[in-house]
Amino acid sequence: MVTQPWPSTDPGSATAVETVDPRADRYLRACRREPVDATPVWFMRQAGRSLPEFRAVRARASLVEITRDPALCAEVTLQPVHRLGVDAAILFADITTPFTGLGVAFDIKPGIGPVIETPVRTAADVARLRDFDPEAHVGPLLEAIRLVRAESPVPLIGFAGAPFTLACYLIEGGPSREFLRTRGFMHAEPAAWAELMGRLVETTVRYLAAQVEAGVQAVQIFDSWVGGLGPRDYDLHVGPWMRRLFEDLASLTVPRTHFGIGTAGLLSRQAAAGGDVIGLDWRIALADGWGLVGSRAVQGNLDPALLLGPFEAVADAANWILDQADGRPGHIFNLGHGVLPATDPDDLRRLVDLVHERTSRRSTR
């Protein structure tokens, strides 16, 4: 664990202090829109397929097996902290991890993603979902949190899928581009939809509360598929549930990030639903997105595909984003979505260093 500065009691060393990792609180301070010594950086999917050390773990364990082995999960979670120099760790898991506790069998297939054995397609299917018990259903993951907290020099972020995105997986049976079954169910079965969304809100609150109790210091809600909706459907069928979710999470007293993909047209609605930090994808300029979400911190928003090309293009785009942030308190540098598997980890490290070096000149601490 990182220790806080404390003056030496040795009279011959009056100026000596313990060494403190400068990453210890950058991220949390930025979430609260407080001054920081340098803009914090972390990456969605930073622990994953782009790291050779992760691929070595995957050679002997599946994704599901990693999340069920506390020591292995903690190891993978901390790999990017050590290799990339990021300012936060994010728990290694999948947004579908709680499904087993709901009585939903699934597998995470390489190159495809989560695949549901028996999708939810009727009101009766919704009624059969079980109550989620974090200790019983994700106990090893909670133990992994405790292990990470004992070792990490940076804050640990917990996360969960948003109710709409989880509903998409449950109803579609796996990843989808148009979410036609989900949108059809939402309109054709309004009572069952409300029951499903209520169950998923309750599950997500329990899941994140357990993560916070185990030691995570912030949480992120991934609404990965909500960008497929128009504003009217969001207002009628998703927004009220997101407001309930964030109201119920307020008692956790940790920063809450609200992130979606393809949501440039929904950002003001997402901000109204809740979140201390609003995540921006790469489809909107950071300054424009920040203007839409008001007095909140923002996270983002480099196009992850740029990291597949020359680093000069990455540096130019990163500097453009930092110019738009203009040193204002409350910017957390991230990608607009997750790290792509073919990304060179050395370029991720260079990007972290670039952001830190560029913004440290504006230190107010």
Side-chain angles (χ1 to χ4, degrees):
M1 292 289 287
V2 174
T3 56
Q4 296 301 315
W6 196 261
S8 171
T9 56
D10 180 355
S13 306
T15 60
V17 295
E18 293 185 50
T19 300
V20 179
D21 192 318
R23 301 175 296 167
D25 67 349
R26 278 181 189 151
Y27 169 75
L28 296 175
R29 290 175 64 88
C31 288
R32 299 189 296 262
R33 296 195 300 150
E34 297 173 357
V36 291
D37 67 322
T39 297
V41 188
W42 73 278
F43 304 117
M44 289 176 278
R45 293 182 183 163
Q46 63 188 15
R49 292 169 290 175
S50 67
L51 299 181
E53 52 266 49
F54 172 77
R55 292 196 292 271
V57 171
R58 279 288 283 116
R60 66 180 192 272
S62 70
L63 295 175
V64 173
E65 288 170 339
I66 292 171
T67 63
R68 294 174 180 173
D69 182 325
L72 203 53
C73 183
E75 176 187 335
V76 169
T77 297
L78 287 168
Q79 284 175 347
V81 174
H82 302 314
R83 185 183 182 99
L84 306 178
V86 289
D87 296 294
I90 185 164
L91 181 65
F92 184 83
D94 189 81
I95 61 173
T96 56
T97 296
F99 282 177
T100 301
L102 296 175
V104 176
F106 71 97
D107 191 16
I108 300 176
K109 297 189 176 181
I112 299 175
V115 176
I116 308 302
E117 186 175 298
T118 306
V120 172
R121 298 282 167 78
T122 67
D125 293 335
V126 175
R128 280 195 290 270
L129 295 176
R130 301 173 187 167
D131 290 336
F132 179 72
D133 180 340
E135 286 293 343
H137 298 138
V138 292
L141 200 64
L142 301 180
E143 178 58 25
I145 291 170
R146 291 185 276 268
L147 292 176
V148 172
R149 281 301 310 278
E151 299 178 25
S152 180
V154 299
L156 174 62
I157 305 169
F159 75 94
F164 176 77
T165 291
L166 296 178
C168 286
Y169 277 110
L170 290 172
I171 295 170
E172 302 293 336
S176 171
R177 291 185 180 275
E178 301 293 335
F179 317 108
L180 297 180
R181 292 182 186 274
T182 304
R183 290 153 66 189
F185 186 88
M186 184 172 67
H187 291 289
E189 300 280 355
W193 176 259
E195 173 67 19
L196 177 59
M197 292 295 276
R199 287 286 198 97
L200 293 174
V201 167
E202 181 180 358
T203 295
T204 302
V205 171
R206 289 181 179 178
Y207 184 39
L208 291 176
Q211 291 184 41
V212 171
E213 185 177 355
V216 304
Q217 295 145 285
V219 296
Q220 177 158 311
I221 311 299
F222 285 86
D223 215 349
S224 306
W225 308 129
V226 77
L229 293 181
R232 185 172 185 273
D233 276 344
Y234 186 89
D235 288 346
L236 293 175
H237 304 293
V238 176
W241 300 106
M242 293 303 290
R243 284 193 292 275
R244 179 185 295 186
L245 173 64
F246 279 102
E247 287 168 0
D248 289 349
L249 293 175
S251 63
L252 300 183
T253 65
V254 299
R256 303 158 300 161
T257 297
H258 188 172
F259 174 74
I261 300 294
T263 57
L266 299 175
L267 278 175
S268 60
R269 287 169 162 83
Q270 287 184 293
D276 307 296
V277 183
I278 303 298
L280 308 175
D281 77 3
W282 69 95
R283 297 174 180 88
I284 189 168
L286 185 129
D288 294 341
W290 209 338
L292 289 171
V293 304
S295 57
R296 290 173 170 80
V298 295
Q299 178 178 281
N301 63 334
L302 186 80
D303 182 350
L306 286 172
L307 282 152
L308 303 182
F311 189 77
E312 291 76 11
V314 175
D316 285 346
N319 280 311
W320 179 67
I321 290 167
L322 294 172
D323 285 343
Q324 292 177 74
D326 196 28
R328 288 176 285 175
H331 178 219
I332 299 152
F333 193 96
N334 206 312
L335 305 183
H337 196 206
V339 174
L340 297 169
T343 302
D344 184 343
D346 290 341
D347 282 345
L348 289 173
R349 179 67 196 226
R350 292 172 71 187
L351 178 56
V352 172
D353 291 343
L354 182 156
V355 174
H356 286 165
E357 290 167 7
R358 161 75 189 273
T359 59
S360 65
R361 294 192 297 271
R362 294 173 174 164
S363 173
T364 59
R365 296 181 67 185

